[in-house]
Amino acid sequence: MKTKAPDQVHRGHAHDVDLEDTFDFLNTDDTENGFPVDKLPTLDAALEWFVDRGVIHVEGANRVRAQVSSRDPLMERDLARVHAVRSALREVAFSIAEDRAPETRALDTINSTLHARQVIELVPAPDGCYVDHRHVGDPVDDALARLADPLVAELTAGHPDRIKVCASDTCDWIFYDASRTSRRRWCDMATCGNRAKAARHRAKERAAGQAAQITTDAPTGPAAGA
Ligand SMILES: [Zn+2]
C-alpha cells in the first residue's frame, strides 16, 4: 500500500507469534525413525515457512530472495543463520527440559538475535494513538527475533517447566506440556508413546524368553520381530 487516507489508517500489523509457532520452528529440525530430516533445507523453504507463519512480510521475503538470487555465499550465510538460531533455541529448550545450563554459545546466538527485534512505537490516530512497529533490520533477522520471543516470554512469565522433549530415543520433538498434571512424556501418545509401550512389552517378552532358554539350553540368536 502506497498511500492511505487518514480514516483508513493501518492499525499496525501484529505478527502474532506464540510458543507453538516457536516450537514448530524448532521441530523443523526433525528426526524420523532416528534419522535427521531438515524441513527447512534451503533458504527458499525457510522464507516460505516464515511467510506462512506471518513472521516475515511477503515483500521482505522477496527482498531477501532478490538480494541473494545471484550470490550463493549470501544465500548460504542466511540459511546458516536460520539453522544456527534454530539450533541455539533447541539447545535452550533441551537445557530447560533436562534441568541443566545451556551452552554459552547458544545463548550468545540468541542474545544477538533478540537485538534485531523490531522497534515498537506509538503512532497517532484520530481517536488517540496505537502501537505500531517498524522493521529496522534484515527481514531474516527480524523473523528469527520474533520466533525467539515467545520462548523468552515463557521463561520470564510462563511455565518453563512445561517445556519438554519427547522421551523417545528416536524422537527429539519439543513440545509444551499443557496436561493438567504436567507429566506428559511423549510428543504424541499414538506414535512415540505407543512405540515406547510396545518396546517395553517386547523387552519384557524377550527377557522372559531368555530366562526360559537358559533352562532349556536352546541355541541363541537375534530376537525375531521388531
Ligand atoms: Zn516423539
Side-chain angles (χ1 to χ4, degrees), residues 168-214:
S168 163
D169 289 339
T170 54
C171 175
D172 282 337
W173 197 262
I174 295 165
F175 64 92
Y176 186 83
D177 181 1
S179 69
R180 197 176 46 82
T181 53
S182 181
R183 286 161 92 177
R184 192 175 140 198
R185 295 186 61 207
W186 320 104
C187 64
D188 178 18
M189 200 56 218
T191 54
C192 286
N194 266 342
R195 254 203 302 276
K197 258 200 280 183
R200 268 201 304 276
H201 182 70
R202 279 197 303 275
K204 225 190 267 178
E205 280 195 329
R206 260 200 305 275
Q210 271 160 14
Q213 275 177 3
I214 289 164

Short mmCIF file of all heavy atoms in Angstrom, two decimals, residues 168-214:
data_model
loop_
_atom_site.label_atom_id
_atom_site.label_comp_id
_atom_site.label_asym_id
_atom_site.label_seq_id
_atom_site.Cartn_x
_atom_site.Cartn_y
_atom_site.Cartn_z
N SER A 168 11.18 -40.36 23.74
CA SER A 168 11.62 -41.43 22.84
C SER A 168 13.08 -41.24 22.43
O SER A 168 13.53 -40.12 22.23
CB SER A 168 10.74 -41.44 21.58
OG SER A 168 11.37 -42.18 20.57
N ASP A 169 13.81 -42.35 22.32
CA ASP A 169 15.22 -42.29 21.92
C ASP A 169 15.38 -41.85 20.47
O ASP A 169 16.43 -41.36 20.07
CB ASP A 169 15.87 -43.68 22.06
CG ASP A 169 16.06 -44.04 23.52
OD1 ASP A 169 16.07 -43.10 24.35
OD2 ASP A 169 16.18 -45.24 23.82
N THR A 170 14.35 -42.08 19.67
CA THR A 170 14.45 -41.79 18.24
C THR A 170 13.65 -40.56 17.84
O THR A 170 13.36 -40.35 16.68
CB THR A 170 13.96 -42.99 17.41
OG1 THR A 170 12.64 -43.32 17.85
CG2 THR A 170 14.88 -44.19 17.58
N CYS A 171 13.29 -39.74 18.81
CA CYS A 171 12.46 -38.55 18.52
C CYS A 171 12.90 -37.42 19.44
O CYS A 171 13.01 -37.61 20.64
CB CYS A 171 10.99 -38.89 18.76
SG CYS A 171 9.90 -37.48 18.59
N ASP A 172 13.18 -36.27 18.86
CA ASP A 172 13.61 -35.12 19.66
C ASP A 172 12.59 -33.98 19.58
O ASP A 172 12.94 -32.81 19.58
CB ASP A 172 14.97 -34.62 19.18
CG ASP A 172 16.11 -35.48 19.69
OD1 ASP A 172 15.90 -36.15 20.73
OD2 ASP A 172 17.18 -35.50 19.06
N TRP A 173 11.33 -34.34 19.47
CA TRP A 173 10.26 -33.36 19.32
C TRP A 173 10.13 -32.51 20.58
O TRP A 173 10.05 -33.04 21.69
CB TRP A 173 8.94 -34.09 19.04
CG TRP A 173 7.87 -33.23 18.48
CD1 TRP A 173 6.84 -32.64 19.15
CD2 TRP A 173 7.70 -32.87 17.10
NE1 TRP A 173 6.05 -31.94 18.28
CE2 TRP A 173 6.54 -32.05 17.03
CE3 TRP A 173 8.41 -33.15 15.94
CZ2 TRP A 173 6.10 -31.53 15.81
CZ3 TRP A 173 7.95 -32.63 14.74
CH2 TRP A 173 6.82 -31.82 14.69
N ILE A 174 10.12 -31.19 20.39
CA ILE A 174 9.97 -30.29 21.53
C ILE A 174 8.50 -29.90 21.63
O ILE A 174 7.87 -29.58 20.63
CB ILE A 174 10.84 -29.03 21.33
CG1 ILE A 174 12.33 -29.43 21.32
CG2 ILE A 174 10.58 -28.00 22.42
CD1 ILE A 174 13.25 -28.36 20.78
N PHE A 175 7.95 -29.97 22.82
CA PHE A 175 6.53 -29.64 22.97
C PHE A 175 6.25 -28.95 24.30
O PHE A 175 7.08 -28.94 25.20
CB PHE A 175 5.66 -30.89 22.83
CG PHE A 175 5.89 -31.93 23.90
CD1 PHE A 175 5.12 -31.94 25.06
CD2 PHE A 175 6.86 -32.91 23.75
CE1 PHE A 175 5.32 -32.90 26.05
CE2 PHE A 175 7.07 -33.88 24.74
CZ PHE A 175 6.30 -33.87 25.89
N TYR A 176 5.07 -28.35 24.37
CA TYR A 176 4.61 -27.71 25.59
C TYR A 176 3.63 -28.64 26.25
O TYR A 176 2.64 -29.05 25.65
CB TYR A 176 3.95 -26.37 25.26
CG TYR A 176 3.58 -25.57 26.47
CD1 TYR A 176 4.52 -24.78 27.11
CD2 TYR A 176 2.28 -25.62 26.99
CE1 TYR A 176 4.19 -24.05 28.24
CE2 TYR A 176 1.95 -24.89 28.12
CZ TYR A 176 2.91 -24.11 28.73
OH TYR A 176 2.57 -23.39 29.85
N ASP A 177 3.91 -29.00 27.47
CA ASP A 177 3.06 -29.94 28.20
C ASP A 177 1.92 -29.18 28.87
O ASP A 177 2.09 -28.59 29.93
CB ASP A 177 3.90 -30.69 29.24
CG ASP A 177 3.06 -31.69 30.01
OD1 ASP A 177 1.85 -31.80 29.72
OD2 ASP A 177 3.62 -32.36 30.90
N ALA A 178 0.77 -29.20 28.20
CA ALA A 178 -0.39 -28.47 28.74
C ALA A 178 -1.29 -29.38 29.57
O ALA A 178 -2.38 -28.98 29.97
CB ALA A 178 -1.18 -27.85 27.59
N SER A 179 -0.82 -30.59 29.83
CA SER A 179 -1.66 -31.53 30.59
C SER A 179 -1.84 -31.03 32.02
O SER A 179 -1.01 -30.29 32.55
CB SER A 179 -1.02 -32.92 30.59
OG SER A 179 0.15 -32.91 31.38
N ARG A 180 -2.92 -31.45 32.64
CA ARG A 180 -3.26 -30.97 33.98
C ARG A 180 -2.15 -31.32 34.98
O ARG A 180 -1.76 -30.51 35.80
CB ARG A 180 -4.60 -31.59 34.42
CG ARG A 180 -5.28 -30.92 35.57
CD ARG A 180 -6.65 -31.55 35.84
NE ARG A 180 -6.58 -33.01 35.84
CZ ARG A 180 -6.18 -33.74 36.89
NH1 ARG A 180 -5.87 -33.14 38.02
NH2 ARG A 180 -6.14 -35.06 36.82
N THR A 181 -1.64 -32.54 34.88
CA THR A 181 -0.65 -32.99 35.85
C THR A 181 0.78 -32.64 35.45
O THR A 181 1.70 -32.83 36.22
CB THR A 181 -0.74 -34.52 35.99
OG1 THR A 181 -0.63 -35.10 34.68
CG2 THR A 181 -2.05 -34.95 36.61
N SER A 182 0.94 -32.14 34.23
CA SER A 182 2.27 -31.77 33.73
C SER A 182 3.23 -32.96 33.75
O SER A 182 4.40 -32.83 34.08
CB SER A 182 2.83 -30.61 34.55
OG SER A 182 4.08 -30.23 34.08
N ARG A 183 2.71 -34.12 33.38
CA ARG A 183 3.57 -35.31 33.39
C ARG A 183 3.63 -36.00 32.03
O ARG A 183 3.94 -37.17 31.92
CB ARG A 183 3.07 -36.31 34.45
CG ARG A 183 3.40 -35.82 35.84
CD ARG A 183 2.54 -36.50 36.85
NE ARG A 183 3.16 -37.70 37.38
CZ ARG A 183 2.63 -38.45 38.34
NH1 ARG A 183 1.46 -38.10 38.84
NH2 ARG A 183 3.24 -39.52 38.77
N ARG A 184 3.31 -35.22 31.00
CA ARG A 184 3.35 -35.79 29.65
C ARG A 184 4.81 -36.07 29.27
O ARG A 184 5.69 -35.25 29.54
CB ARG A 184 2.72 -34.78 28.69
CG ARG A 184 2.43 -35.34 27.33
CD ARG A 184 1.70 -34.30 26.48
NE ARG A 184 2.22 -34.36 25.12
CZ ARG A 184 2.08 -33.40 24.23
NH1 ARG A 184 1.45 -32.29 24.56
NH2 ARG A 184 2.58 -33.52 23.02
N ARG A 185 5.07 -37.21 28.65
CA ARG A 185 6.44 -37.57 28.31
C ARG A 185 6.69 -37.69 26.81
O ARG A 185 7.81 -37.63 26.36
CB ARG A 185 6.80 -38.91 28.97
CG ARG A 185 6.80 -38.85 30.48
CD ARG A 185 7.31 -40.16 31.04
NE ARG A 185 8.68 -40.43 30.60
CZ ARG A 185 9.20 -41.64 30.48
NH1 ARG A 185 8.48 -42.70 30.73
NH2 ARG A 185 10.46 -41.80 30.08
N TRP A 186 5.61 -37.91 26.05
CA TRP A 186 5.76 -38.17 24.63
C TRP A 186 5.19 -37.04 23.80
O TRP A 186 4.23 -36.42 24.19
CB TRP A 186 5.06 -39.48 24.25
CG TRP A 186 5.25 -40.54 25.26
CD1 TRP A 186 4.33 -40.96 26.18
CD2 TRP A 186 6.44 -41.29 25.50
NE1 TRP A 186 4.87 -41.94 26.97
CE2 TRP A 186 6.17 -42.16 26.57
CE3 TRP A 186 7.70 -41.31 24.91
CZ2 TRP A 186 7.12 -43.03 27.08
CZ3 TRP A 186 8.63 -42.18 25.40
CH2 TRP A 186 8.35 -43.03 26.47
N CYS A 187 5.80 -36.85 22.62
CA CYS A 187 5.28 -35.83 21.71
C CYS A 187 3.86 -36.20 21.36
O CYS A 187 2.98 -35.37 21.22
CB CYS A 187 6.14 -35.74 20.46
SG CYS A 187 6.17 -37.22 19.45
N ASP A 188 3.62 -37.49 21.19
CA ASP A 188 2.32 -37.98 20.75
C ASP A 188 2.14 -39.40 21.27
O ASP A 188 2.96 -40.27 21.01
CB ASP A 188 2.29 -37.94 19.22
CG ASP A 188 0.99 -38.49 18.68
OD1 ASP A 188 0.01 -38.55 19.44
OD2 ASP A 188 0.97 -38.85 17.49
N MET A 189 1.10 -39.59 22.04
CA MET A 189 0.86 -40.90 22.64
C MET A 189 0.63 -41.96 21.57
O MET A 189 1.02 -43.12 21.71
CB MET A 189 -0.36 -40.79 23.57
CG MET A 189 -0.45 -41.90 24.60
SD MET A 189 1.04 -42.01 25.61
CE MET A 189 1.16 -43.79 25.75
N ALA A 190 -0.01 -41.54 20.46
CA ALA A 190 -0.36 -42.51 19.41
C ALA A 190 0.87 -43.03 18.68
O ALA A 190 0.85 -44.14 18.16
CB ALA A 190 -1.33 -41.86 18.42
N THR A 191 1.93 -42.24 18.62
CA THR A 191 3.13 -42.72 17.92
C THR A 191 4.22 -43.09 18.92
O THR A 191 4.40 -44.24 19.25
CB THR A 191 3.63 -41.67 16.91
OG1 THR A 191 3.81 -40.43 17.60
CG2 THR A 191 2.66 -41.49 15.78
N CYS A 192 4.93 -42.07 19.43
CA CYS A 192 6.06 -42.35 20.31
C CYS A 192 5.64 -43.04 21.60
O CYS A 192 6.32 -43.95 22.06
CB CYS A 192 6.81 -41.06 20.64
SG CYS A 192 7.78 -40.48 19.24
N GLY A 193 4.52 -42.63 22.17
CA GLY A 193 4.05 -43.24 23.41
C GLY A 193 3.77 -44.72 23.21
O GLY A 193 4.20 -45.57 23.99
N ASN A 194 3.09 -45.03 22.12
CA ASN A 194 2.77 -46.43 21.82
C ASN A 194 4.01 -47.23 21.48
O ASN A 194 4.15 -48.39 21.87
CB ASN A 194 1.79 -46.50 20.65
CG ASN A 194 0.37 -46.56 21.14
OD1 ASN A 194 0.13 -46.87 22.30
ND2 ASN A 194 -0.57 -46.25 20.27
N ARG A 195 4.92 -46.59 20.72
CA ARG A 195 6.16 -47.28 20.37
C ARG A 195 6.93 -47.65 21.63
O ARG A 195 7.45 -48.75 21.76
CB ARG A 195 7.04 -46.36 19.49
CG ARG A 195 7.05 -46.79 18.04
CD ARG A 195 8.28 -46.28 17.33
NE ARG A 195 8.43 -44.83 17.36
CZ ARG A 195 7.82 -44.01 16.50
NH1 ARG A 195 7.02 -44.49 15.58
NH2 ARG A 195 8.01 -42.71 16.59
N ALA A 196 6.97 -46.71 22.58
CA ALA A 196 7.70 -46.98 23.82
C ALA A 196 7.04 -48.10 24.61
O ALA A 196 7.71 -48.97 25.15
CB ALA A 196 7.75 -45.70 24.66
N LYS A 197 5.72 -48.07 24.61
CA LYS A 197 4.99 -49.12 25.33
C LYS A 197 5.25 -50.49 24.69
O LYS A 197 5.51 -51.47 25.36
CB LYS A 197 3.48 -48.82 25.32
CG LYS A 197 2.99 -48.26 26.63
CD LYS A 197 1.51 -48.41 26.77
CE LYS A 197 0.77 -47.34 26.00
NZ LYS A 197 -0.67 -47.37 26.12
N ALA A 198 5.21 -50.49 23.33
CA ALA A 198 5.45 -51.73 22.60
C ALA A 198 6.87 -52.23 22.84
O ALA A 198 7.10 -53.43 23.00
CB ALA A 198 5.19 -51.51 21.11
N ALA A 199 7.83 -51.30 22.87
CA ALA A 199 9.23 -51.68 23.09
C ALA A 199 9.40 -52.29 24.48
O ALA A 199 10.11 -53.28 24.65
CB ALA A 199 10.14 -50.46 22.91
N ARG A 200 8.74 -51.67 25.46
CA ARG A 200 8.82 -52.20 26.83
C ARG A 200 8.23 -53.61 26.87
O ARG A 200 8.79 -54.51 27.50
CB ARG A 200 8.06 -51.30 27.80
CG ARG A 200 8.92 -50.22 28.44
CD ARG A 200 8.28 -49.72 29.74
NE ARG A 200 6.93 -49.23 29.56
CZ ARG A 200 6.63 -47.99 29.16
NH1 ARG A 200 7.59 -47.14 28.87
NH2 ARG A 200 5.38 -47.61 29.03
N HIS A 201 7.12 -53.77 26.19
CA HIS A 201 6.44 -55.06 26.14
C HIS A 201 7.35 -56.11 25.51
O HIS A 201 7.53 -57.21 26.04
CB HIS A 201 5.14 -54.92 25.35
CG HIS A 201 4.33 -56.16 25.26
ND1 HIS A 201 3.68 -56.69 26.34
CD2 HIS A 201 4.10 -57.00 24.22
CE1 HIS A 201 3.06 -57.80 25.98
NE2 HIS A 201 3.30 -58.01 24.69
N ARG A 202 8.00 -55.73 24.37
CA ARG A 202 8.90 -56.67 23.68
C ARG A 202 10.08 -57.03 24.57
O ARG A 202 10.48 -58.20 24.65
CB ARG A 202 9.43 -56.04 22.37
CG ARG A 202 8.46 -56.14 21.21
CD ARG A 202 9.18 -55.90 19.90
NE ARG A 202 9.86 -54.62 19.86
CZ ARG A 202 9.27 -53.47 19.52
NH1 ARG A 202 8.00 -53.46 19.21
NH2 ARG A 202 9.96 -52.35 19.48
N ALA A 203 10.64 -56.02 25.25
CA ALA A 203 11.79 -56.26 26.13
C ALA A 203 11.41 -57.24 27.23
O ALA A 203 12.18 -58.15 27.57
CB ALA A 203 12.28 -54.94 26.73
N LYS A 204 10.20 -57.07 27.75
CA LYS A 204 9.73 -57.96 28.81
C LYS A 204 9.61 -59.38 28.28
O LYS A 204 10.05 -60.34 28.92
CB LYS A 204 8.36 -57.46 29.31
CG LYS A 204 8.26 -57.44 30.84
CD LYS A 204 6.84 -57.18 31.27
CE LYS A 204 6.59 -55.69 31.50
NZ LYS A 204 5.19 -55.42 31.89
N GLU A 205 9.02 -59.49 27.09
CA GLU A 205 8.85 -60.81 26.48
C GLU A 205 10.19 -61.47 26.19
O GLU A 205 10.37 -62.66 26.40
CB GLU A 205 8.06 -60.68 25.17
CG GLU A 205 6.56 -60.55 25.40
CD GLU A 205 5.78 -60.79 24.12
OE1 GLU A 205 6.33 -60.47 23.05
OE2 GLU A 205 4.66 -61.30 24.21
N ARG A 206 11.14 -60.63 25.68
CA ARG A 206 12.48 -61.16 25.39
C ARG A 206 13.14 -61.68 26.66
O ARG A 206 13.72 -62.75 26.68
CB ARG A 206 13.35 -60.06 24.77
CG ARG A 206 13.47 -60.17 23.26
CD ARG A 206 14.67 -59.41 22.76
NE ARG A 206 14.70 -58.02 23.18
CZ ARG A 206 14.06 -57.04 22.53
NH1 ARG A 206 13.35 -57.31 21.46
NH2 ARG A 206 14.15 -55.80 22.96
N ALA A 207 13.02 -60.85 27.71
CA ALA A 207 13.63 -61.24 28.98
C ALA A 207 13.04 -62.56 29.47
O ALA A 207 13.75 -63.47 29.91
CB ALA A 207 13.41 -60.14 30.02
N ALA A 208 11.72 -62.69 29.33
CA ALA A 208 11.04 -63.91 29.75
C ALA A 208 11.51 -65.08 28.89
O ALA A 208 11.79 -66.18 29.38
CB ALA A 208 9.53 -63.73 29.64
N GLY A 209 11.65 -64.82 27.57
CA GLY A 209 12.10 -65.85 26.63
C GLY A 209 13.50 -66.30 26.95
O GLY A 209 13.80 -67.50 26.96
N GLN A 210 14.37 -65.32 27.25
CA GLN A 210 15.75 -65.67 27.57
C GLN A 210 15.84 -66.49 28.84
O GLN A 210 16.61 -67.44 28.92
CB GLN A 210 16.61 -64.39 27.69
CG GLN A 210 17.19 -63.97 26.35
CD GLN A 210 17.61 -62.52 26.33
OE1 GLN A 210 17.70 -61.89 27.39
NE2 GLN A 210 17.86 -61.98 25.16
N ALA A 211 15.05 -66.13 29.81
CA ALA A 211 15.05 -66.87 31.07
C ALA A 211 14.65 -68.32 30.81
O ALA A 211 15.24 -69.26 31.36
CB ALA A 211 14.08 -66.21 32.06
N ALA A 212 13.68 -68.50 29.92
CA ALA A 212 13.22 -69.84 29.59
C ALA A 212 14.32 -70.60 28.85
O ALA A 212 14.55 -71.78 29.09
CB ALA A 212 11.96 -69.77 28.74
N GLN A 213 15.04 -69.88 27.95
CA GLN A 213 16.07 -70.52 27.15
C GLN A 213 17.25 -71.00 28.01
O GLN A 213 17.84 -72.03 27.72
CB GLN A 213 16.61 -69.54 26.10
CG GLN A 213 15.74 -69.55 24.85
CD GLN A 213 16.20 -68.53 23.83
OE1 GLN A 213 17.21 -67.86 24.07
NE2 GLN A 213 15.50 -68.44 22.75
N ILE A 214 17.59 -70.22 29.03
CA ILE A 214 18.71 -70.61 29.89
C ILE A 214 18.48 -71.99 30.47
O ILE A 214 19.36 -72.83 30.52
CB ILE A 214 18.92 -69.56 31.02
CG1 ILE A 214 19.48 -68.27 30.39
CG2 ILE A 214 19.86 -70.06 32.10
CD1 ILE A 214 19.38 -67.05 31.25
#
